[in-house]
Amino acid sequence: MEKHIKLIKELCELNAPSGFEEDAREYLKKEMKDLGNISFDFLGSIICEKKGTENGPKIMLPGHMDEIGFLVKHITKEGFIKFITLGGWWDQVLLGKKVIIKTKKGDITGVIGSTPPHVLEAKDRDVVVKIKSMFIDIGAESKEEAEDTFGVALGDPIVPCSEFIQMANPNYYMAKALDNRLGTALMVDILKEFQNQNHPNILYGVGTVQEEVGLRGAQTAANHIKPDINFTLDVGIAGDTPGLESHNMNADLGKGPIILLADASLIPHRKLKNFVLETAKEMDIPVQLSTMVGGGTDAGSIHLAEAGVPSVSFGIPTRYIHSHNSIFNIKDYEYLKKLLIELIKKIDNKKL
């Protein structure tokens, strides 16, 4: 298995929802221990400083470590688990899906259920079941068994249970947590690339926490680093599936990374965006321009740090984000890696 695929796979297989990023952070700590100086902010984001040129521009490369998940809210007397969400979930993608509850006694597997449609009145069968009406069945026969035997407690994190697989098309991969272990893996890959290359700046590879619940780690990490430039590494919504034709989604798998022209939290710095586009054209690297009015990335917090940080947000096109199984094309990852390497080589104090 190629090194970058192995890195993405291992990161995706970790269970680290918002607020519970320890496993991802420990993994990154091991991967980056020889790549630069490791530090942390007080929310738990991990920062790797890789110096190229002393007093060169500070370039921040954040990829958020957290994935969407759930939290144990209540345990019924019969032993079923009621839950709340960590991050944005669409109710109708949940029923029948396997999940893992991280307890003090270890991982417990369960399935998300609700009242079966067979016993519903006709008028209720076409109504989307809401999360508040769902529960997780872990095979417990009582609240006492769930708590005392299985170790489930209020506040325990819950994550999707899905495997990382290569699809029939060898460029396509399916997994949970691609949002945003893809960006996190790319951040590590870039730091590794510059172990043997000169760069006229200082790189800060950052695994941020709690992006999915409000871009929180991005804010504290940026205030700690005080970067001059920010390139946020994330996924983007693919627009090449049925039903999206009328939405003008200019982002197909395999046709290059996304550069966001605007989202709910950021309008990219125009000169920096143009510099990115010019570099992509010079390198003959395909890029796709898109907008995302219903969401944002870590750049939304980072560009507001201190006196302001010129920022561009990149996305690797991904289908079915915020679900148990998402799909991406490895070519887009490789295109973005090539583009970032060239951008970093060019950014010195004069360019800044």
Side-chain angles (χ1 to χ4, degrees), residues 130-211:
K130 299 297 183 183
I131 288 176
K132 65 180 181 181
S133 299
M134 298 179 192
F135 53 81
I136 298 172
D137 186 341
I138 58 171
E141 296 183 347
S142 66
K143 179 179 181 181
E144 290 72 25
E145 183 176 37
E147 292 180 329
D148 301 336
T149 305
F150 298 168
V152 180
L154 302 187
D156 281 346
I158 308 166
V159 291
C161 180
S162 302
E163 62 178 324
F164 184 99
I165 63 171
Q166 186 177 40
M167 303 183 75
N169 181 328
N171 288 324
Y172 284 63
Y173 292 84
M174 179 166 61
K176 76 170 184 69
L178 291 175
D179 182 8
N180 181 38
R181 306 290 158 70
L182 275 180
T184 308
L186 182 57
M187 174 269 291
V188 175
D189 246 355
I190 295 296
L191 290 176
K192 289 181 176 179
E193 189 71 26
F194 279 100
Q195 288 307 291
N196 300 311
Q197 293 193 51
N198 296 323
H199 54 104
N201 41 56
I202 305 171
L203 299 180
Y204 290 85
V206 186
T208 63
V209 298
Q210 299 189 42
E211 190 266 2

Coordinates of all heavy atoms in Angstrom, one line a residue, residues 130-211:
K130 N -37.0 11.7 13.2 CA -36.1 12.6 13.8 C -35.1 11.9 14.8 O -35.5 10.9 15.4 CB -36.8 13.8 14.5 CG -37.8 14.6 13.5 CD -37.0 15.3 12.5 CE -37.8 16.1 11.6 NZ -37.1 16.8 10.5
I131 N -34.0 12.5 14.9 CA -33.0 12.0 15.8 C -33.6 11.8 17.3 O -33.2 10.8 17.9 CB -31.7 12.8 15.8 CG1 -31.0 12.6 14.5 CG2 -30.8 12.5 17.0 CD1 -29.7 13.5 14.3
K132 N -34.4 12.7 17.7 CA -34.9 12.6 19.0 C -35.8 11.4 19.2 O -36.0 11.0 20.4 CB -35.7 13.9 19.4 CG -37.0 14.1 18.5 CD -37.7 15.4 18.9 CE -39.0 15.6 18.1 NZ -39.7 16.8 18.5
S133 N -36.3 10.8 18.1 CA -37.1 9.6 18.2 C -36.2 8.3 18.0 O -36.8 7.2 18.1 CB -38.2 9.6 17.2 OG -39.0 10.7 17.4
M134 N -34.9 8.5 17.8 CA -34.0 7.3 17.6 C -33.4 6.9 18.9 O -33.4 7.6 19.9 CB -33.0 7.7 16.6 CG -33.5 8.0 15.2 SD -32.1 8.4 14.1 CE -33.0 9.1 12.7
F135 N -32.8 5.7 18.9 CA -32.1 5.2 20.0 C -31.0 4.2 19.5 O -31.0 3.9 18.3 CB -33.0 4.4 21.0 CG -33.9 3.4 20.3 CD1 -33.4 2.1 20.0 CD2 -35.2 3.7 19.9 CE1 -34.1 1.2 19.3 CE2 -36.0 2.7 19.2 CZ -35.4 1.5 18.9
I136 N -30.1 3.9 20.3 CA -29.0 2.9 20.0 C -29.2 1.6 20.8 O -29.4 1.7 22.0 CB -27.6 3.5 20.2 CG1 -27.4 4.7 19.4 CG2 -26.6 2.4 19.9 CD1 -26.1 5.5 19.7
D137 N -29.3 0.5 20.1 CA -29.5 -0.8 20.7 C -28.1 -1.4 20.8 O -27.5 -1.7 19.8 CB -30.4 -1.6 19.8 CG -30.8 -3.0 20.4 OD1 -30.1 -3.4 21.3 OD2 -31.8 -3.6 19.9
I138 N -27.7 -1.7 22.0 CA -26.4 -2.3 22.3 C -26.5 -3.7 22.8 O -25.5 -4.3 23.2 CB -25.5 -1.4 23.3 CG1 -26.2 -1.2 24.6 CG2 -25.2 -0.1 22.6 CD1 -25.4 -0.6 25.7
G139 N -27.7 -4.2 22.8 CA -27.9 -5.6 23.3 C -28.0 -5.7 24.8 O -28.0 -6.8 25.3
A140 N -28.2 -4.6 25.4 CA -28.4 -4.6 26.9 C -29.9 -4.9 27.2 O -30.8 -4.6 26.5 CB -28.0 -3.3 27.5
E141 N -30.1 -5.6 28.3 CA -31.4 -6.0 28.8 C -32.0 -5.1 29.8 O -33.2 -5.2 30.2 CB -31.5 -7.4 29.2 CG -31.1 -8.4 28.1 CD -31.2 -9.9 28.6 OE1 -31.3 -10.1 29.8 OE2 -31.2 -10.8 27.7
S142 N -31.1 -4.1 30.3 CA -31.6 -3.2 31.3 C -30.6 -2.0 31.4 O -29.5 -2.1 30.9 CB -31.7 -3.9 32.7 OG -30.4 -4.2 33.1
K143 N -31.0 -1.0 32.1 CA -30.2 0.2 32.3 C -29.0 -0.3 33.1 O -27.8 0.2 32.9 CB -30.9 1.3 33.0 CG -30.1 2.5 33.3 CD -30.9 3.6 34.0 CE -30.1 4.8 34.3 NZ -30.8 5.9 35.0
E144 N -29.2 -1.1 34.1 CA -28.1 -1.6 35.0 C -27.1 -2.4 34.2 O -25.9 -2.2 34.4 CB -28.7 -2.4 36.1 CG -29.5 -1.7 37.1 CD -30.9 -1.3 36.6 OE1 -31.4 -1.9 35.6 OE2 -31.4 -0.3 37.1
E145 N -27.5 -3.2 33.3 CA -26.5 -4.0 32.5 C -25.7 -3.0 31.6 O -24.5 -3.2 31.4 CB -27.2 -5.0 31.6 CG -26.2 -5.9 30.8 CD -26.9 -7.0 30.1 OE1 -28.0 -6.8 29.5 OE2 -26.3 -8.1 30.0
A146 N -26.4 -2.0 31.0 CA -25.7 -1.1 30.1 C -24.7 -0.3 30.9 O -23.5 -0.1 30.4 CB -26.7 -0.1 29.5
E147 N -25.0 0.1 32.1 CA -24.1 0.9 32.9 C -23.0 0.0 33.6 O -21.8 0.3 33.5 CB -24.9 1.7 33.9 CG -25.8 2.8 33.3 CD -26.5 3.5 34.4 OE1 -26.9 2.9 35.5 OE2 -26.8 4.7 34.2
D148 N -23.5 -1.0 34.3 CA -22.5 -1.7 35.2 C -21.7 -2.7 34.5 O -20.5 -2.9 34.7 CB -23.3 -2.4 36.3 CG -24.1 -1.3 37.2 OD1 -23.7 -0.2 37.2 OD2 -25.1 -1.7 37.8
T149 N -22.4 -3.5 33.5 CA -21.7 -4.5 32.8 C -20.9 -4.0 31.6 O -19.8 -4.3 31.4 CB -22.7 -5.6 32.4 OG1 -23.4 -6.1 33.5 CG2 -21.9 -6.8 31.7
F150 N -21.6 -3.2 30.8 CA -21.0 -2.7 29.6 C -20.2 -1.4 29.8 O -19.3 -1.1 29.0 CB -22.1 -2.4 28.5 CG -22.9 -3.6 28.1 CD1 -24.0 -3.4 27.3 CD2 -22.5 -4.9 28.4 CE1 -24.7 -4.5 26.9 CE2 -23.2 -6.0 28.0 CZ -24.3 -5.8 27.3
G151 N -20.4 -0.7 30.9 CA -19.7 0.5 31.2 C -20.1 1.8 30.5 O -19.4 2.8 30.5
V152 N -21.3 1.8 29.9 CA -21.8 3.0 29.3 C -22.2 4.1 30.3 O -22.8 3.8 31.3 CB -23.0 2.7 28.4 CG1 -23.6 4.0 27.7 CG2 -22.7 1.6 27.4
A153 N -21.8 5.3 30.0 CA -22.1 6.4 31.0 C -22.5 7.6 30.2 O -22.2 7.8 29.0 CB -20.8 6.8 31.8
L154 N -23.3 8.5 30.8 CA -23.7 9.7 30.2 C -22.5 10.5 29.8 O -21.5 10.6 30.6 CB -24.6 10.5 31.1 CG -25.9 9.9 31.7 CD1 -26.7 10.9 32.4 CD2 -26.7 9.3 30.5
G155 N -22.5 11.1 28.6 CA -21.3 11.8 28.1 C -20.3 11.0 27.3 O -19.4 11.6 26.8
D156 N -20.5 9.7 27.2 CA -19.6 8.9 26.4 C -19.7 9.3 24.9 O -20.8 9.5 24.4 CB -19.9 7.4 26.6 CG -19.3 6.8 27.8 OD1 -18.5 7.5 28.5 OD2 -19.7 5.7 28.2
P157 N -18.6 9.3 24.2 CA -18.7 9.6 22.7 C -19.1 8.4 21.9 O -18.8 7.3 22.3 CB -17.3 10.1 22.4 CG -16.4 9.3 23.4 CD -17.2 9.2 24.7
I158 N -19.7 8.7 20.8 CA -20.2 7.7 19.9 C -19.7 8.0 18.5 O -19.8 9.2 18.1 CB -21.7 7.6 19.9 CG1 -22.3 7.4 21.3 CG2 -22.2 6.4 19.0 CD1 -23.7 7.7 21.5
V159 N -19.2 7.0 17.7 CA -18.7 7.3 16.4 C -19.3 6.3 15.4 O -19.7 5.2 15.8 CB -17.2 7.2 16.3 CG1 -16.6 8.4 17.1 CG2 -16.7 5.9 16.9
P160 N -19.3 6.6 14.1 CA -19.8 5.6 13.1 C -18.8 4.4 13.0 O -17.6 4.5 13.3 CB -19.7 6.4 11.8 CG -19.7 7.8 12.2 CD -19.0 7.9 13.5
C161 N -19.4 3.3 12.7 CA -18.6 2.1 12.6 C -18.6 1.7 11.1 O -19.6 1.2 10.5 CB -19.3 0.9 13.4 SG -18.4 -0.6 13.3
S162 N -17.5 2.0 10.4 CA -17.3 1.8 9.0 C -15.9 1.5 8.6 O -15.0 2.0 9.3 CB -17.7 3.0 8.2 OG -19.1 3.4 8.5
E163 N -15.6 0.6 7.6 CA -14.3 0.3 7.2 C -13.8 1.1 6.1 O -14.6 1.7 5.3 CB -14.2 -1.2 6.9 CG -15.1 -1.6 5.7 CD -14.9 -3.0 5.3 OE1 -13.8 -3.6 5.4 OE2 -15.9 -3.7 4.9
F164 N -12.5 1.2 6.0 CA -11.8 1.9 4.9 C -11.6 0.9 3.7 O -11.0 -0.1 3.9 CB -10.5 2.5 5.3 CG -9.7 3.3 4.3 CD1 -9.8 4.7 4.3 CD2 -9.0 2.7 3.3 CE1 -9.1 5.4 3.4 CE2 -8.3 3.4 2.4 CZ -8.4 4.8 2.4
I165 N -12.2 1.2 2.5 CA -12.0 0.2 1.5 C -11.7 0.9 0.2 O -12.1 2.0 -0.1 CB -13.3 -0.6 1.3 CG1 -14.5 0.3 0.8 CG2 -13.7 -1.4 2.5 CD1 -15.7 -0.5 0.4
Q166 N -10.9 0.2 -0.7 CA -10.7 0.6 -2.0 C -11.8 0.1 -2.9 O -12.2 -1.1 -2.8 CB -9.3 0.0 -2.5 CG -8.9 0.6 -3.9 CD -7.6 0.0 -4.4 OE1 -7.2 -1.1 -4.1 NE2 -6.8 0.9 -5.0
M167 N -12.3 0.9 -3.8 CA -13.5 0.5 -4.6 C -13.1 -0.2 -5.9 O -11.9 -0.4 -6.1 CB -14.4 1.7 -4.8 CG -14.8 2.4 -3.5 SD -15.9 3.8 -3.7 CE -17.5 2.9 -4.1
A168 N -14.0 -0.6 -6.7 CA -13.7 -1.3 -8.0 C -12.8 -0.4 -8.9 O -11.9 -0.9 -9.5 CB -15.0 -1.6 -8.7
N169 N -13.1 0.9 -8.9 CA -12.2 1.8 -9.6 C -11.0 2.1 -8.6 O -11.3 2.6 -7.5 CB -12.9 3.1 -9.9 CG -12.0 4.1 -10.6 OD1 -10.8 4.2 -10.3 ND2 -12.6 5.0 -11.4
P170 N -9.8 1.7 -8.9 CA -8.7 1.8 -7.9 C -8.4 3.2 -7.4 O -7.6 3.3 -6.4 CB -7.6 1.1 -8.6 CG -7.9 1.3 -10.1 CD -9.4 1.2 -10.2
N171 N -8.9 4.2 -8.1 CA -8.6 5.5 -7.6 C -9.6 6.0 -6.5 O -9.4 7.1 -5.9 CB -8.6 6.5 -8.8 CG -7.4 6.4 -9.7 OD1 -6.3 6.1 -9.2 ND2 -7.6 6.6 -11.0
Y172 N -10.7 5.2 -6.4 CA -11.8 5.6 -5.5 C -11.7 4.9 -4.1 O -11.5 3.6 -4.1 CB -13.1 5.3 -6.1 CG -13.5 6.3 -7.2 CD1 -12.8 6.5 -8.3 CD2 -14.7 7.1 -7.0 CE1 -13.2 7.4 -9.3 CE2 -15.1 8.0 -8.0 CZ -14.3 8.2 -9.1 OH -14.7 9.0 -10.1
Y173 N -11.9 5.6 -3.0 CA -11.9 5.0 -1.7 C -13.1 5.4 -0.9 O -13.6 6.6 -1.1 CB -10.6 5.4 -1.0 CG -9.3 4.8 -1.6 CD1 -8.7 5.4 -2.6 CD2 -8.8 3.6 -1.1 CE1 -7.5 4.9 -3.2 CE2 -7.6 3.1 -1.6 CZ -7.0 3.7 -2.7 OH -5.9 3.1 -3.2
M174 N -13.6 4.5 -0.1 CA -14.7 4.8 0.8 C -14.4 4.6 2.2 O -13.7 3.6 2.6 CB -15.9 3.9 0.4 CG -17.2 4.2 1.2 SD -18.6 3.4 0.4 CE -18.1 1.7 0.4
A175 N -14.8 5.5 3.1 CA -14.5 5.4 4.5 C -15.4 6.4 5.3 O -16.0 7.3 4.7 CB -13.0 5.7 4.7
K176 N -15.4 6.2 6.6 CA -15.9 7.2 7.5 C -14.8 8.3 7.7 O -13.6 8.0 7.4 CB -16.3 6.6 8.8 CG -15.1 6.3 9.8 CD -15.6 5.9 11.1 CE -14.4 5.7 12.1 NZ -13.7 6.9 12.4
A177 N -15.2 9.4 8.3 CA -14.2 10.4 8.8 C -13.3 11.0 7.7 O -12.2 11.6 8.1 CB -13.4 9.9 9.9
L178 N -13.6 10.8 6.4 CA -12.8 11.5 5.4 C -12.8 13.0 5.7 O -11.8 13.7 5.4 CB -13.3 11.2 4.0 CG -13.1 9.8 3.5 CD1 -13.8 9.6 2.2 CD2 -11.7 9.4 3.4
D179 N -13.9 13.5 6.2 CA -14.0 14.9 6.7 C -13.6 14.9 8.2 O -14.5 14.5 9.1 CB -15.4 15.4 6.5 CG -15.7 16.8 7.0 OD1 -14.7 17.5 7.3 OD2 -16.8 17.2 7.0
N180 N -12.4 15.1 8.6 CA -11.4 15.6 7.7 C -10.0 15.0 7.9 O -9.0 15.6 8.0 CB -11.3 17.1 7.9 CG -10.2 17.8 6.9 OD1 -10.1 17.4 5.8 ND2 -9.5 18.7 7.5
R181 N -10.0 13.7 7.9 CA -8.7 13.0 8.0 C -8.0 13.1 6.7 O -6.8 12.9 6.7 CB -8.9 11.5 8.4 CG -9.7 11.3 9.7 CD -9.0 11.8 11.0 NE -9.9 12.1 12.1 CZ -10.6 11.2 12.7 NH1 -10.5 9.9 12.4 NH2 -11.4 11.5 13.7
L182 N -8.7 13.4 5.6 CA -8.0 13.7 4.3 C -7.1 14.9 4.5 O -5.9 14.9 4.1 CB -9.0 13.9 3.2 CG -9.6 12.7 2.5 CD1 -10.6 13.1 1.4 CD2 -8.4 11.8 1.9
G183 N -7.7 16.0 5.0 CA -6.9 17.2 5.2 C -5.8 17.0 6.2 O -4.7 17.6 6.0
T184 N -6.0 16.3 7.2 CA -5.0 16.0 8.3 C -3.9 15.2 7.7 O -2.7 15.5 7.9 CB -5.7 15.2 9.4 OG1 -6.8 15.9 9.9 CG2 -4.7 15.1 10.6
A185 N -4.2 14.2 6.9 CA -3.2 13.4 6.3 C -2.3 14.2 5.3 O -1.1 14.1 5.3 CB -3.8 12.2 5.5
L186 N -3.0 15.1 4.5 CA -2.3 15.9 3.6 C -1.3 16.9 4.3 O -0.2 17.1 3.9 CB -3.3 16.7 2.7 CG -2.7 17.6 1.7 CD1 -1.8 16.8 0.7 CD2 -3.8 18.3 0.9
M187 N -1.7 17.4 5.4 CA -0.9 18.3 6.2 C 0.4 17.5 6.6 O 1.5 18.1 6.5 CB -1.6 18.7 7.5 CG -0.8 19.6 8.4 SD -0.1 18.6 9.7 CE -1.5 18.0 10.7
V188 N 0.3 16.3 7.1 CA 1.5 15.5 7.5 C 2.3 15.2 6.3 O 3.6 15.3 6.3 CB 1.0 14.2 8.2 CG1 2.2 13.3 8.5 CG2 0.3 14.5 9.4
D189 N 1.7 14.8 5.2 CA 2.4 14.6 3.9 C 3.2 15.7 3.5 O 4.4 15.6 3.0 CB 1.4 14.2 2.8 CG 1.5 12.8 2.3 OD1 2.4 12.1 2.8 OD2 0.7 12.3 1.5
I190 N 2.7 16.9 3.6 CA 3.4 18.1 3.2 C 4.6 18.4 4.0 O 5.7 18.7 3.5 CB 2.5 19.4 3.2 CG1 1.4 19.3 2.2 CG2 3.3 20.7 3.0 CD1 1.8 19.3 0.8
L191 N 4.5 18.2 5.3 CA 5.6 18.3 6.2 C 6.7 17.3 5.9 O 7.9 17.7 5.9 CB 5.2 18.2 7.7 CG 4.3 19.3 8.3 CD1 3.9 18.9 9.7 CD2 5.0 20.6 8.3
K192 N 6.3 16.1 5.6 CA 7.3 15.1 5.3 C 8.0 15.4 4.0 O 9.2 15.2 3.8 CB 6.6 13.7 5.1 CG 6.2 13.1 6.5 CD 5.5 11.8 6.3 CE 5.1 11.2 7.6 NZ 4.5 9.8 7.5
E193 N 7.3 16.0 3.0 CA 7.9 16.4 1.7 C 9.0 17.4 1.9 O 10.0 17.3 1.2 CB 6.8 16.9 0.8 CG 7.2 17.1 -0.6 CD 7.4 15.9 -1.4 OE1 6.7 14.8 -1.0 OE2 8.2 15.9 -2.4
F194 N 8.8 18.3 2.9 CA 9.8 19.3 3.0 C 10.9 19.0 4.0 O 11.8 19.8 4.3 CB 9.1 20.6 3.4 CG 8.5 21.4 2.3 CD1 7.2 21.3 2.0 CD2 9.3 22.1 1.4 CE1 6.6 21.9 1.0 CE2 8.8 22.8 0.3 CZ 7.4 22.7 0.1
Q195 N 11.0 17.7 4.4 CA 12.2 17.3 5.2 C 13.4 17.3 4.3 O 14.5 17.5 4.8 CB 11.9 15.9 5.7 CG 10.9 15.8 6.8 CD 11.2 16.8 8.0 OE1 12.2 16.6 8.7 NE2 10.4 17.8 8.1
N196 N 13.3 17.1 3.0 CA 14.4 17.1 2.1 C 14.4 18.2 1.0 O 15.0 18.1 0.0 CB 14.4 15.7 1.4 CG 14.5 14.6 2.3 OD1 15.4 14.6 3.2 ND2 13.6 13.6 2.2
Q197 N 13.6 19.2 1.3 CA 13.5 20.4 0.4 C 13.6 21.7 1.1 O 13.1 21.8 2.3 CB 12.1 20.4 -0.4 CG 12.0 19.2 -1.3 CD 10.8 19.5 -2.3 OE1 10.7 20.5 -2.9 NE2 9.9 18.5 -2.4
N198 N 14.3 22.6 0.5 CA 14.3 24.0 1.1 C 13.0 24.7 0.9 O 12.3 24.5 0.0 CB 15.5 24.8 0.5 CG 16.8 24.2 0.8 OD1 17.1 23.6 1.8 ND2 17.7 24.2 -0.2
H199 N 12.7 25.6 1.9 CA 11.5 26.4 1.7 C 11.8 27.7 2.5 O 12.3 27.7 3.6 CB 10.3 25.8 2.3 CG 10.3 25.3 3.7 ND1 9.8 25.9 4.7 CD2 10.9 24.1 4.2 CE1 10.0 25.2 5.9 NE2 10.7 24.1 5.6
P200 N 11.5 28.9 1.9 CA 11.8 30.2 2.4 C 10.9 30.7 3.4 O 10.5 31.9 3.4 CB 11.9 31.1 1.1 CG 10.8 30.5 0.3 CD 10.8 29.0 0.5
N201 N 10.4 29.9 4.3 CA 9.3 30.2 5.2 C 9.4 29.3 6.4 O 10.2 28.4 6.5 CB 8.0 30.2 4.5 CG 7.9 29.0 3.6 OD1 8.0 27.9 4.0 ND2 7.6 29.3 2.3
I202 N 8.4 29.5 7.3 CA 8.2 28.6 8.4 C 6.8 27.9 8.3 O 5.8 28.6 8.2 CB 8.3 29.3 9.8 CG1 9.7 30.1 9.9 CG2 8.2 28.3 11.0 CD1 9.8 31.0 11.1
L203 N 6.8 26.6 8.3 CA 5.6 25.9 8.1 C 5.0 25.5 9.5 O 5.8 25.1 10.4 CB 5.8 24.6 7.3 CG 6.2 24.8 5.9 CD1 6.4 23.4 5.2 CD2 5.3 25.7 5.1
Y204 N 3.7 25.6 9.6 CA 3.0 25.1 10.8 C 1.9 24.1 10.4 O 0.9 24.5 10.0 CB 2.4 26.3 11.6 CG 3.4 27.2 12.2 CD1 4.0 28.2 11.5 CD2 3.9 27.0 13.5 CE1 5.0 29.1 12.1 CE2 4.8 27.8 14.1 CZ 5.4 28.9 13.4 OH 6.3 29.7 13.9
G205 N 2.2 22.8 10.5 CA 1.2 21.8 10.3 C 0.4 21.7 11.6 O 0.9 21.4 12.7
V206 N -0.9 21.8 11.4 CA -1.8 21.9 12.6 C -2.9 20.9 12.5 O -3.6 20.9 11.5 CB -2.4 23.3 12.9 CG1 -3.1 23.3 14.2 CG2 -1.3 24.3 12.8
G207 N -3.1 20.0 13.5 CA -4.3 19.2 13.6 C -5.2 19.9 14.6 O -5.0 19.9 15.8
T208 N -6.3 20.5 14.1 CA -7.1 21.3 15.0 C -8.3 20.5 15.6 O -8.6 19.4 15.0 CB -7.8 22.5 14.2 OG1 -8.6 22.0 13.2 CG2 -6.7 23.4 13.6
V209 N -8.8 20.9 16.7 CA -9.9 20.2 17.4 C -11.2 21.0 17.2 O -11.2 22.2 16.8 CB -9.6 20.1 18.9 CG1 -8.4 19.2 19.1 CG2 -9.5 21.4 19.6
Q210 N -12.3 20.3 17.3 CA -13.6 20.9 17.4 C -14.0 21.8 16.3 O -14.8 22.7 16.4 CB -13.8 21.6 18.8 CG -13.6 20.7 20.0 CD -13.9 21.4 21.3 OE1 -14.9 22.2 21.4 NE2 -13.1 21.2 22.3
E211 N -13.6 21.4 15.1 CA -14.0 22.2 13.9 C -15.5 22.0 13.6 O -16.2 22.9 13.3 CB -13.2 21.7 12.7 CG -13.4 22.6 11.4 CD -14.5 22.1 10.5 OE1 -15.1 21.1 10.8 OE2 -14.7 22.7 9.4

